[in-house]
Amino acid sequence: MKRKILAVLMGVFIVFGLTGCGSVLKKDNFKIRDAETKSVKFTDFDNGLIKLKVPEGWKVDVLGDYIHYIVKAYNPEKPIYQFYFNLKVEGFNKSEDSKAWQQKYYPDSPFAKTSVIATKDTEGYYKIFNDMGKLNNTSAFTFPELNDFTVTENLGKGFIGGDVLRATFKDAKNTEGEGIFTAYVYDAGSYYVNENIMSGKKIDTYPLSVYDSIFITAPKDEFVNWEEILNTVAGSLEFTDTFLNGFNQQQDAVMKNFQSIRNICNQISDGIIDSWNKRSASFDIMTQKQSDATLGYERVYDTETNEVYKAYNGFTDDYDGERYKSVSDNMYTKGISGYIEKD
């Protein structure tokens, strides 16, 4: 009799442990929500000049002539998910002395207003990128904002010159973002002028140009998950025969020295992928762990599919199965497949 009562009490305890206090979860007491990236579907954009694949619901804005063409593809509800490309932008000053000279002697010229790329490299260009919007924003086209632009890793040289940079920033809504940025700052030569009549100081006033500016961005700590999708957008950009005919009529000797521009983004995109795959894993591990701790997640993987999930904090204490286990450090470099939430 005592054994029977004990067995009954143990059964009550087990049931209470499973359902009453929730200290142990059955396998069906949680639900899995797919990551947004798993449901992304692409649609084709074609305006007769360019062709581009973008996620459904995205908007594409364009600006400029054939030489200075700009493409911006983005999520209109969350513009920090974006792809940006500019064939060429020019007229930047090499030094503060050059800009001061322009402002003194030619105050109404474009060179008196354009920024100084002090270091004449990719990082230097993106440090002053916001000034382009101040000079060129219209009701039909608004340049992205890259506030507090900070390089976290130089991933090496790009396909057409310049560096491939991994960097963080804040957008116009103060949302923290992360992305990959590349551009080629080109110095075509020198043209020296005297600082003034009395001074013997010479100032180089020949302007700088920037070719093939490309960046892809997402919210900070989500970029690891979105990089492949964003790079698909970047690599899909193609210029049509109509565009190429107009481009060839206007011509740009430097661009022609690079290659045919028809699929230039595809080749730049390949270089970005290669650079991204060689990035430092330690940065991803650190930032993803910090993000999980801040947002209340722990990361696990499915031992059957090897997919990684963000689970609610405490999941591994609650879960009594064998399928989901805590990730190793190297798995923090992988994008997630979804979220595990309490049912």
Side-chain angles (χ1 to χ4, degrees):
M1 183 68 176
K2 287 183 179 180
R3 290 182 179 177
K4 193 177 211 179
I5 293 172
L6 182 60
V8 170
L9 289 174
M10 287 180 66
V12 171
F13 175 77
I14 291 170
V15 171
F16 184 73
L18 287 172
T19 60
C21 39
S23 61
V24 179
L25 282 179
K26 292 180 180 178
K27 293 180 181 179
D28 57 354
N29 277 11
F30 61 87
K31 59 185 178 182
I32 294 178
R33 173 170 58 89
D34 282 345
E36 188 178 355
T37 50
K38 289 193 75 172
S39 60
V40 169
K41 295 180 180 178
F42 288 92
T43 186
D44 293 324
F45 173 85
D46 185 346
N47 67 353
L49 298 177
I50 63 166
K51 297 178 181 179
L52 186 68
K53 289 186 180 297
V54 297
E56 288 183 349
W58 278 35
K59 188 177 180 184
V60 179
D61 295 339
V62 297
L63 177 70
D65 58 29
Y66 294 110
I67 298 296
H68 307 92
Y69 205 68
I70 304 174
V71 181
K72 183 179 72 168
Y74 59 99
N75 181 338
E77 296 181 359
K78 298 178 181 179
I80 200 165
Y81 296 96
Q82 64 183 325
F83 157 71
Y84 174 92
F85 173 72
N86 188 351
L87 266 175
K88 180 184 180 183
V89 58
E90 56 191 324
F92 295 104
N93 288 289
K94 291 179 180 175
S95 67
E96 294 295 342
D97 285 343
S98 175
K99 184 168 184 175
W101 188 88
Q102 298 286 358
Q103 290 175 332
K104 181 177 181 179
Y105 294 105
Y106 301 95
D108 296 326
S109 74
F111 304 112
K113 301 175 184 178
T114 53
S115 302
V116 176
I117 304 180
T119 55
K120 294 194 290 187
D121 57 19
T122 305
E123 182 176 1
Y125 167 63
Y126 282 111
K127 288 284 189 182
I128 55 89
F129 180 84
N130 284 353
D131 293 343
M132 291 179 60
K134 296 173 184 177
L135 294 175
N136 300 296
N137 279 342
T138 67
S139 58
F141 190 99
T142 302
F143 284 79
E145 286 189 25
L146 304 175
N147 303 306
D148 300 330
F149 182 84
T150 304
V151 175
T152 57
E153 188 176 2
N154 188 320
L155 300 175
K157 288 298 180 183
F159 174 76
I160 49 84
D163 298 312
V164 179
L165 305 175
R166 184 177 187 178
T168 60
F169 65 98
K170 292 181 181 178
D171 71 0
K173 297 181 179 180
N174 211 37
T175 303
E176 290 187 297
E178 182 180 9
I180 294 180
F181 303 78
T182 187
Y184 175 49
V185 179
Y186 179 68
D187 186 349
S190 300
Y191 183 79
Y192 288 96
V193 297
N194 292 319
E195 182 179 35
N196 53 54
I197 296 175
M198 302 298 296
S199 172
K201 182 178 180 180
K202 299 288 187 179
I203 299 174
D204 184 1
T205 60
Y206 204 95
L208 297 169
S209 297
V210 181
Y211 287 89
D212 293 321
S213 312
I214 285 186
F215 56 82
I216 50 178
T217 74
K220 191 173 183 290
D221 302 321
E222 289 187 35
F223 186 77
V224 170
N225 218 41
W226 277 87
E227 184 272 339
E228 184 176 349
I229 290 171
L230 292 167
N231 219 15
T232 296
V233 177
S236 71
L237 179 60
E238 180 181 346
F239 296 97
T240 66
D241 288 337
T242 301
F243 185 96
L244 293 175
N245 288 337
F247 177 87
N248 290 332
Q249 288 175 14
Q250 293 186 6
Q251 294 192 4
D252 186 292
V254 173
M255 187 67 74
K256 284 184 175 295
N257 287 337
F258 290 145
Q259 58 183 31
S260 168
I261 69 162
R262 182 187 293 277
N263 294 308
I264 191 170
C265 278
N266 184 51
Q267 298 183 58
I268 295 174
S269 173
D270 287 344
I272 290 175
I273 291 174
D274 184 59
S275 298
W276 174 253
N277 289 336
K278 295 176 182 175
R279 74 194 187 280
S280 170
S282 60
F283 181 79
D284 282 337
I285 294 168
M286 177 187 69
T287 57
Q288 295 296 302
K289 282 184 175 181
Q290 289 175 343
S291 174
D292 287 356
T294 301
L295 299 175
Y297 290 114
E298 59 180 88
R299 210 163 289 208
V300 298
Y301 74 101
D302 185 334
T303 58
E304 294 183 10
T305 66
N306 215 37
E307 292 180 310
V308 175
Y309 293 88
K310 284 186 178 182
Y312 66 88
N313 195 24
F315 170 78
T316 50
D317 292 329
D318 294 341
Y319 179 61
D320 68 342
E322 296 295 326
R323 180 167 179 174
Y324 298 97
K325 296 185 181 295
S326 297
V327 298
S328 64
D329 276 0
N330 286 338
M331 289 182 176
Y332 280 96
T333 63
K334 295 180 59 175
I336 65 167
S337 294
Y339 299 84
I340 297 179
E341 303 167 338
K342 290 184 177 180
D343 196 355

